[in-house]
Amino acid sequence: MSSTNNSAVKSAAETQQQVRNSLARRYRAERRFRFYGFAAVTAGIAFVVFLFGTIFAQGLSVFQQSYVKLEVFYDPETIDPAGNRDPDDLVVADYQALVRAALREEFPQVEGRPNLRELYGLMSSAASIELQRAVTANPDLIGQRQTLWLLADDTIDMVLKGNVSRQAREDERRLSDQQIGWLNALEQRGDLDLRFNRSFFSNGDSRDPEQAGVRGALIGSLLTLLITLLLSFPIGVGAAVYLEEFAPRNRLTDVIEVNINNLAAVPSIVFGLLGLAVFIGFFGMPRSAPLVGGFVLTLLTLPTIIIASRAALKAVPPSIREAALGMGASRLQMVGHHVLPLALPGMLTGAIIGMARALGESAPLLMIGMVAFIVEVPQGIVDPATALPVQVFLWSDLPERGFVERTSGAIIVLLLFLLLMNATAVWLRNKFEKRW
Amino acid sequence: MSDSAASVDSLKTKVPAKTIGDITVPSPVFSCRDVDVFYGDKHAIKKVNIDIARQQVLAMIGPSGCGKSTFLRCLNRMNDTIVGARVEGQITLDGQDIHEKRQDVVQLRARVGMVFQKPNPFPKTIYENVAYGPRIHGLAANRGELDDIVNQSLRRAGLWEEVKDRLNQPGTSLSGGQQQRLCIARTIAVNPEVILMDEPCSALDPIATARIEDLIDELRESYAICIVTHSMQQAARVSQRTAYFHLGDLVEVGETNKIFTNPQAKLTEDYITGRFG
Amino acid sequence: MTPSLLIVALALLSFIAFQIGKARALSVAGGARGIRDLHSLPGHYGMLAALWAGLPALLLVILWVSLQDRVLIAIVTSHLPASVMALGQDGFTLFLNDVRNVIAGNIPASQVSAEAAVAATQYVRLQGYSRMALTALAFAVAVLGLFITRSRITPELRARNSVERVFEGLLFLCSLVAVLTTLGIVLSVAFEATRFFNIVPASDFLFGTRWSPQMAIRADQVGSSGAFGAIPLFAGTLLISFIAMIVAVPIGLFSAIYLAEYAPSQVRKVVKPLLEVLAGVPTVVYGFFAVTTVGPILRVWGESVGLDVAGESALAAGLVMGIMIIPFVSSLADDMITAVPQSLRDGAYALGATRSETIKQVVLRAALPGIVGGVLLAISRAIGETMIVVMAAGLAANLTANPLEAVTTVTVQIVTLLVGDQEFDSPKTLAAFALGLMLFIVTLVLNVIALYVVRKYREQYE
């Protein structure tokens, strides 16, 4: 220890001077580092704002749709020439002629076939379907006049919402100058207006943007999620209870544990391949069915639910287990009477988060064929169906301008459901969270 | 426990408002006046006055929760890192207030090093652990100087012979006592004026403790040392002055010999004779 | 009875069995006062009876139903006339499709060939027999189970232990589902991939540089036309994942550092969930965002500086994927940083280190293994991500490192090959499974390493 004469040992004052000299440089580095962090957080928040901003800017208008006010005459000559009101005949009658007649009444000066065709192009084909529904529901309408707001074509809708400019070149806006003139006339008379978009929530898919709705996809998603929840929650809780409360520590349970953790990180599309090969290829289950979708999403969400349920079980203090066992309860009674009820809120939270993940999942559903163009709203778990995120995928690929808005609208509906589920999970956690 | 708590309560009324013993020393390195520390609403240190002498070991003793560690952490402003902690009063280092705006906390800590209760080597090699301080403060102009500093520091910490062949192994590979000496080497590598030690031996076995105590005695020649300890024997062995804390009050200060043989305050006597604590 | 009705009936029977078992237990005990002589509660005896009545029959139904279709098809096939057998592989598949469609009632029997109509009728008839047999057998098993259990009920019978063993067995089966899933993935995907490698040599697949899976329609061209060299796909996947990591790792890491070490707790409380919102957004939304917003913006920027950016550039897909992964990196990094013990920070502060010096040289250094593990997990996610690339990356299998060009990825090709009409045996379909196998293996290896590293790291500070 006789080293005080070594050059490395300096006086305190010398050292202080050196430290002071280093300060400016070090504080610059400090500020720079802090700025990087701040910039990263800002960038992250900017992404959130930008993402949601564009989606909502493009999609909020979907909740309104252009309707034209027309006075429709339910002409008996056209729809019920036989005069017997036979329901079979009424279904197949030419309702389009009624819409056209109403349009001609609105613009009596239009003449000539090409001009008339342009005029008819103002209305959606859904207008005649609406008339058909009205008449078959109430045949007494025949022979009467009725003022109705009927669905306009999506080209009109896009102009009215300002997505396509009236001043654009004729071929870009997909409307002729003549049609723009009619459009202006209708708007001035107050016969063309944006009203709440019923069909978006009541229709299935369609090739026409103005008729396309999310109902089919929404029901498909709900059916799929129902299957997923019914299977994955009991199995997930069962697995968690076994691993946490019963499993002996041996090689097999180690394998199961590692397995579950790895399964949670397997890409979702691989689960789709599994569903395709096993459920459809091997067991011969129907394609495009919510049943198979539910099976695949069950396998996909199971690891999430098991991990969350185990965490909930771990949070129950051992003293409660000991108390129950001390009273002479069997292990199963201890779990069933004491541990499970205490862990249930945590497990439910995990299940809801798993369901939210399943609701947003689309890749595995593509694999099992839930990606078809399906107009009908599915009635059961083996009907062909699609799901909400898949509907987004399908619509995003379509060229019509109107589908951009539909896609964003479907995304908004999807996000609202996710928000609802996550809010429920947070509420549940806050309400039942116990600190031991 | 309830017994002693009751006796503490009864004694509390007799606690003198002022510290017994001589709080001042000639040419102190630290001089603390009316120091209060609050953790949120909790009043952890109450109007403490004490000087800390150069080239001397000051031991702080007292029952758990009496505030001795809190007081120690005031001296290099480590309490800044605790959310809700507030320090009032005046602490001067070489006549300069350490809470002054001009006082740089980085510089302060370079002058006032600290060794913690649990050895906390960085997850780096032994060499890098010691070189870390000189590096960040820019104390070495080149690799050779840095090597010298590391070498000297490890020697002074009495660790050189044990680790000279494995400077590139992780610091965590050492035993508990060696880790603590590594932490001391790390502290003296910055060439501080004061070293604070917060129960540096409480996680160590008796043999490792003895080595650290020897080391403290040697280091006293160059540094002012403040040590918080739970062991009265340790305080008696290593320190020249002793301060007795009780529930946030500094009860008594004095020469270690005097405190242990002839305490003035009743509380100090009770503690030293083992009636509570 | 249809299988679903049968299951309902069995459930009902189980309930009755429960009541019978309980009543029997009470009667052997000699009324309510004798309950303390019983080994278990009367409910346990009831439960035992219910399980014995319900479970074996239920297993029988499940097994029967899952195998029924294959057996029936085999029987029907064995009775087909020689003319059908002469149709060849493809013709036979079409024939079976016709038969299935008639059975399902999708098309009337008049629209298919006479042989198919006959086969369909035979299938339906056999199905009727099969269901009758199953119903009879299931009820027989259930009733038998009930009566044997009832006769076994004595005060000494350890009903509770038996019931609990059954429940524990069920719980064990639940935990086995995860293992079965992995097994299912490995077996099914590997099986189809092996069939692919029988047609296309594995070396051509792994090292070939040309990918054009469009097979010629005529049979004599098979093998000479389609090219299955997967290198361009691997390269495209890596390129996009790399871009994603360049975006996600710095932003995720630095925001985690800022939120954990610098931001006041009120800011942290607001900003952290806000960033985590990004993790909850479905990937299809990111895909749409990439196509409709980021892609066009990049193209306009590219034009303004004279760069030719492809409509479906790797850059757009990678950028958006990076945004998606930010919260993943940041929350993992946050976990790792907060796991670093305060004593290490104290050690650095006490030496006079500034905050950033402490973070850079002590906290990050200590958290490094955990962060590396987290980044590995993030890479595995980027490689397996599907919807963003399906929507925003192209189909063209370009072998390029230029992020402004369009590339394709493994997942994009899996989706393209498998969506739409397909025959199950063509190399095109099987190629998708080969790609799936690669994807599974690579992500699995990454996950195993990452989880191991992270676990080791956590143990160190626990």
Side-chain angles (χ1 to χ4, degrees):
Chain A
M1 296 305 301
S2 57
S3 49
T4 32
N5 52 357
N6 192 297
S7 65
V9 177
K10 297 167 186 152
S11 74
E14 247 182 304
T15 309
Q16 285 320 308
Q17 191 51 47
Q18 278 177 315
V19 172
R20 238 192 314 280
N21 292 344
S22 73
L23 282 181
R25 173 182 55 79
R26 291 165 66 194
Y27 279 124
R28 268 201 308 281
E30 170 76 25
R31 276 194 299 276
R32 209 162 43 232
F33 191 76
R34 196 187 166 112
F35 171 75
Y36 293 150
F38 183 74
V41 171
T42 314
I45 293 173
F47 286 138
V48 176
V49 172
F50 189 46
L51 176 68
F52 283 87
T54 47
I55 300 282
F56 277 84
Q58 286 171 341
L60 275 181
S61 58
V62 85
F63 299 108
Q64 290 200 315
Q65 188 70 24
S66 305
Y67 287 87
V68 177
K69 191 161 85 176
L70 287 180
E71 192 182 336
V72 178
F73 174 50
Y74 294 99
D75 190 353
E77 296 286 298
T78 319
I79 52 176
D80 191 23
N84 55 10
R85 318 244 152 136
D86 180 354
D88 288 345
D89 288 341
L90 286 182
V91 169
V92 295
D94 185 6
Y95 293 94
Q96 210 163 6
L98 298 186
V99 179
R100 290 176 175 177
L103 275 172
R104 282 197 304 274
E105 260 179 54
E106 190 84 15
F107 294 102
Q109 72 280 16
V110 180
E111 277 174 4
R113 210 170 245 265
N115 292 335
L116 280 174
R117 200 177 307 131
E118 280 191 7
L119 180 62
Y120 300 153
L122 294 180
M123 299 304 295
S124 163
S125 58
S128 57
I129 297 171
E130 199 175 335
L131 295 186
Q132 178 214 37
R133 280 208 197 106
V135 171
T136 43
N138 179 16
D140 292 340
L141 283 174
I142 296 173
Q144 293 185 17
R145 283 185 165 274
Q146 207 179 10
T147 305
L148 289 173
W149 285 94
L150 293 173
L151 197 58
D153 194 67
D154 66 302
T155 47
I156 305 284
D157 187 50
M158 284 298 107
V159 171
L160 211 61
K161 285 173 180 166
N163 290 335
V164 173
S165 162
R166 288 172 219 226
Q167 274 75 48
R169 287 215 321 276
E170 217 169 353
D171 55 329
E172 270 179 8
R173 63 186 180 222
R174 289 174 59 221
L175 281 174
S176 68
D177 291 339
Q178 189 171 240
Q179 285 175 313
I180 294 282
W182 293 327
L183 191 155
N184 290 337
L186 280 172
E187 210 177 0
Q188 260 163 24
R189 279 182 239 165
D191 289 349
L192 173 62
D193 203 5
L194 288 171
R195 299 163 65 90
F196 177 69
N197 189 353
R198 291 164 302 193
S199 52
F200 187 64
F201 296 100
S202 61
N203 286 7
D205 199 359
S206 168
R207 289 286 179 232
D208 292 317
E210 78 274 8
Q211 293 181 49
V214 291
R215 190 184 171 90
L218 205 55
I219 301 284
S221 267
L222 293 183
L223 288 172
T224 311
L225 279 194
L226 187 71
I227 305 279
T228 310
L229 183 64
L230 287 181
L231 287 174
S232 66
F233 190 58
I235 297 180
V237 169
V241 167
Y242 179 76
L243 291 174
E244 211 52 48
E245 308 287 340
F246 292 98
R249 288 272 142 241
N250 59 24
R251 174 110 13 120
L252 181 62
T253 46
D254 279 354
V255 168
I256 295 177
E257 283 225 48
V258 172
N259 204 289
I260 289 170
N261 288 333
N262 279 319
L263 214 50
V266 167
S268 60
I269 192 170
V270 174
F271 287 92
L273 288 175
L274 171 76
L276 177 63
V278 172
F279 297 130
I280 295 178
F282 187 78
F283 287 113
M285 291 182 186
R287 281 179 147 265
S288 311
L291 180 69
V292 182
F295 281 171
V296 170
L297 293 185
T298 297
L299 300 183
L300 184 77
T301 50
L302 209 48
T304 316
I305 295 182
I306 294 177
I307 292 169
S309 301
R310 291 188 69 177
L313 286 171
K314 276 202 186 98
V316 177
S319 61
I320 288 183
R321 293 183 179 82
E322 281 158 12
L325 291 178
M327 295 288 293
S330 69
R331 275 196 103 68
L332 199 68
Q333 286 169 328
M334 165 199 94
V335 172
H337 297 165
H338 303 284
V339 179
L340 215 48
L342 291 172
L344 206 58
M347 293 174 159
L348 275 177
T349 310
I352 294 172
I353 289 168
M355 288 302 111
R357 194 185 155 199
L359 176 60
E361 202 53 76
S362 32
L365 301 183
L366 302 185
M367 296 289 95
I368 56 157
M370 289 183 80
V371 64
F373 172 67
I374 295 156
V375 178
E376 282 88 29
V377 175
Q379 303 293 319
I381 53 169
V382 289
D383 285 353
T386 181
L388 205 47
V390 181
Q391 188 73 74
V392 170
F393 169 63
L394 285 170
W395 282 349
S396 73
D397 223 20
L398 298 174
E400 283 93 348
R401 187 69 184 72
F403 272 116
V404 173
E405 177 201 74
R406 299 278 139 165
T407 314
S408 302
I411 289 177
I412 293 173
V413 174
L414 180 60
L415 290 178
L416 285 180
F417 271 92
L418 290 176
L419 184 73
L420 195 71
M421 293 168 89
N422 283 309
T424 315
V426 170
W427 175 79
L428 207 62
R429 184 161 52 208
N430 290 344
K431 186 165 162 76
F432 290 102
E433 189 176 52
K434 283 204 180 74
R435 295 236 172 258
W436 301 97
Chain B
M1 184 63 220
S2 65
D3 210 343
S4 65
S7 68
V8 167
D9 266 349
S10 65
L11 286 165
K12 211 170 169 182
T13 50
K14 295 174 214 156
V15 169
K18 252 183 87 183
T19 304
I20 297 175
D22 191 5
I23 59 163
T24 58
V25 295
S27 146
V29 57
F30 266 115
S31 173
C32 309
R33 292 295 175 268
D34 290 338
V35 176
D36 281 293
V37 181
F38 302 86
Y39 289 131
D41 294 333
K42 192 172 168 262
H43 199 168
I45 293 281
K46 298 163 193 162
K47 297 264 178 273
V48 166
N49 293 289
I50 192 169
D51 285 350
I52 296 167
R54 293 169 204 272
Q55 299 189 324
Q56 207 182 55
V57 177
L58 169 69
M60 301 183 186
I61 59 169
S64 305
C66 67
K68 49 197 194 303
S69 289
T70 303
F71 181 69
L72 194 73
R73 292 172 72 96
C74 291
L75 298 178
N76 65 345
R77 284 177 55 185
M78 281 301 280
N79 282 330
D80 290 12
T81 63
I82 296 169
V83 178
R86 192 158 44 95
V87 181
E88 287 172 5
Q90 196 188 42
I91 303 175
T92 55
L93 172 61
D94 283 336
Q96 217 177 29
D97 190 339
I98 65 166
H99 286 108
E100 218 176 45
K101 267 232 161 69
R102 272 187 306 132
Q103 176 62 54
D104 191 287
V105 68
V106 164
Q107 208 180 355
L108 171 70
R109 288 177 192 158
R111 296 171 68 184
V112 186
M114 185 163 187
V115 177
F116 296 85
Q117 187 169 4
K118 240 182 87 192
N120 54 353
F122 300 134
K124 301 171 179 249
T125 62
I126 293 168
Y127 181 92
E128 285 299 327
N129 259 286
V130 182
Y132 180 71
R135 258 193 224 282
I136 56 171
H137 295 301
L139 301 185
N142 52 45
R143 179 75 189 198
E145 272 186 43
L146 191 60
D147 284 347
D148 281 345
I149 295 177
V150 172
N151 184 320
Q152 289 307 318
S153 309
L154 284 171
R155 273 185 204 282
R156 303 191 66 184
L159 196 60
W160 177 251
E161 292 302 322
E162 290 156 67
V163 301
K164 63 181 175 192
D165 299 324
R166 46 172 178 156
L167 289 175
N168 287 320
Q169 284 182 17
T172 43
S173 67
L174 298 171
S175 74
Q178 289 173 323
Q179 285 191 13
Q180 195 62 299
R181 275 181 282 145
L182 178 63
C183 290
I184 292 173
R186 184 174 76 185
T187 306
I188 57 185
V190 187
N191 201 5
E193 294 164 53
V194 186
I195 299 178
L196 310 177
M197 295 187 173
D198 189 359
E199 300 185 34
C201 303
S202 66
L204 306 180
D205 61 66
I207 295 172
T209 302
R211 296 213 52 171
I212 301 269
E213 285 178 6
D214 290 346
L215 179 57
I216 291 172
D217 209 41
E218 284 166 22
L219 292 174
R220 174 168 67 87
E221 293 170 13
S222 328
Y223 311 101
I225 294 176
C226 259
I227 179 168
V228 166
T229 175
H230 255 298
S231 150
M232 279 174 284
Q233 290 80 358
Q234 186 171 61
R237 281 194 298 266
V238 301
S239 73
Q240 287 72 50
R241 260 173 104 223
T242 296
Y244 173 67
F245 282 78
H246 186 95
L247 294 174
D249 289 304
L250 176 55
V251 177
E252 186 170 354
V253 191
E255 305 246 320
T256 301
N257 297 338
K258 267 170 79 181
I259 292 272
F260 279 93
T261 51
N262 185 19
Q264 301 296 304
K266 177 89 170 61
L267 274 168
T268 319
E269 189 184 336
D270 286 349
Y271 182 71
I272 286 167
T273 53
R275 292 211 15 221
F276 61 87
Chain C
M1 263 190 220
T2 62
S4 43
L5 198 63
L6 190 56
I7 289 174
V8 173
L10 284 177
L12 209 67
L13 194 71
S14 284
F15 182 70
I16 297 169
F18 177 82
Q19 299 298 343
I20 292 176
K22 194 172 162 182
R24 174 71 188 168
L26 280 173
S27 85
V28 297
R33 206 169 301 163
I35 288 182
R36 53 173 55 245
D37 296 334
L38 291 172
H39 172 271
S40 314
L41 291 173
H44 286 123
Y45 293 94
M47 197 51 119
L48 190 65
L51 286 174
W52 273 105
L55 269 190
L58 185 69
L59 286 179
L60 178 75
V61 173
I62 290 172
L63 205 67
W64 191 290
V65 168
S66 59
L67 292 177
Q68 173 177 281
D69 181 69
R70 316 196 117 230
V71 173
L72 291 187
I73 288 286
I75 296 176
V76 170
T77 313
S78 68
H79 285 83
L80 287 175
S83 61
V84 178
M85 300 315 280
L87 282 172
Q89 184 74 44
D90 292 350
F92 187 69
T93 312
L94 284 178
F95 175 81
L96 269 189
N97 268 342
D98 280 351
V99 174
R100 288 196 177 284
N101 275 325
V102 174
I103 295 166
N106 292 345
I107 49 175
S110 53
Q111 279 180 20
V112 297
S113 65
E115 287 90 353
V118 170
T121 325
Q122 196 189 8
Y123 182 100
V124 172
R125 202 184 62 230
L126 286 174
Q127 195 181 35
Y129 291 151
S130 157
R131 280 185 179 166
M132 263 190 276
L134 173 61
T135 309
L137 212 57
F139 273 109
V141 169
V143 171
L144 197 69
L146 168 57
F147 277 98
I148 291 177
T149 315
R150 184 178 180 278
S151 68
R152 280 175 59 214
I153 292 177
T154 58
E156 290 78 39
L157 179 70
R158 300 173 162 226
R160 199 192 68 205
N161 304 37
S162 307
V163 169
E164 294 194 341
R165 253 203 311 282
V166 173
F167 272 105
E168 270 181 49
L170 287 178
L171 293 178
F172 176 68
L173 285 182
C174 287
S175 69
L176 220 52
V177 171
V179 178
L180 290 180
T181 308
T182 312
L183 219 59
I185 290 174
V186 171
L187 288 183
S188 64
V189 177
F191 177 68
E192 306 285 342
T194 320
R195 287 170 63 194
F196 173 75
F197 291 130
N198 285 336
I199 306 170
V200 178
S203 56
D204 287 7
F205 174 74
L206 287 176
F207 305 114
T209 54
R210 209 170 73 81
W211 176 266
S212 93
Q214 293 311 319
M215 299 297 289
I217 292 163
R218 274 183 302 146
D220 55 318
Q221 281 185 353
V222 168
S224 65
S225 147
F228 291 97
I231 290 286
L233 312 191
F234 299 152
T237 308
L238 288 183
L239 178 62
I240 291 183
S241 307
F242 181 68
I243 297 170
M245 285 302 125
I246 288 183
V247 175
V249 171
I251 296 186
L253 193 55
F254 270 106
S255 42
I257 290 171
Y258 187 79
L259 291 179
E261 303 275 342
Y262 284 105
S265 64
Q266 297 98 316
V267 173
R268 185 180 153 92
K269 241 181 251 164
V270 176
V271 172
K272 225 179 150 221
L274 204 62
L275 281 183
E276 273 160 13
V277 164
L278 284 174
V281 174
T283 53
V284 71
V285 177
Y286 285 106
F288 178 68
F289 180 64
V291 181
T292 56
T293 311
V294 178
I297 289 177
L298 285 181
R299 208 166 46 235
V300 172
W301 278 355
E303 268 168 24
S304 67
V305 296
L307 281 173
D308 188 22
V309 181
E312 297 178 318
S313 64
L315 189 59
L319 273 179
V320 174
M321 196 189 277
I323 296 176
M324 181 193 86
I325 294 177
I326 289 173
F328 190 74
V329 175
S330 75
S331 70
L332 268 170
D334 187 75
D335 283 356
M336 301 305 151
I337 289 171
T338 42
V340 174
Q342 183 63 32
S343 69
L344 279 187
R345 289 188 181 81
D346 282 351
Y349 287 139
L351 282 177
T354 63
R355 209 173 260 251
S356 66
E357 283 161 354
T358 308
I359 295 167
K360 275 187 280 191
Q361 290 158 34
V362 176
V363 176
L364 286 188
R365 178 76 175 239
L368 194 64
I371 290 173
V372 168
V375 170
L376 283 183
L377 280 180
I379 293 174
S380 138
R381 254 187 102 121
I383 290 176
E385 169 49 38
T386 307
M387 294 317 289
I388 294 179
V389 278
V390 166
M391 294 165 83
L395 289 174
N398 294 326
L399 189 53
T400 174
N402 180 355
L404 304 181
E405 276 184 51
V407 295
T408 190
T409 73
V410 172
T411 47
V412 172
Q413 289 303 319
I414 294 178
V415 170
T416 333
L417 294 173
L418 286 183
V419 169
D421 292 327
Q422 69 202 227
E423 322 93 276
F424 231 92
D425 291 333
S426 82
K428 204 179 129 182
T429 314
L430 295 176
F433 283 93
L435 289 174
L437 184 65
M438 298 302 300
L439 185 64
F440 180 70
I441 291 174
V442 170
T443 51
L444 187 72
V445 168
L446 282 173
N447 295 340
V448 169
I449 298 174
L451 290 176
Y452 176 79
V453 170
V454 170
R455 206 185 53 218
K456 278 278 155 226
Y457 170 69
R458 289 234 168 91
E459 279 168 5
Q460 184 188 340
Y461 290 122
E462 252 162 26

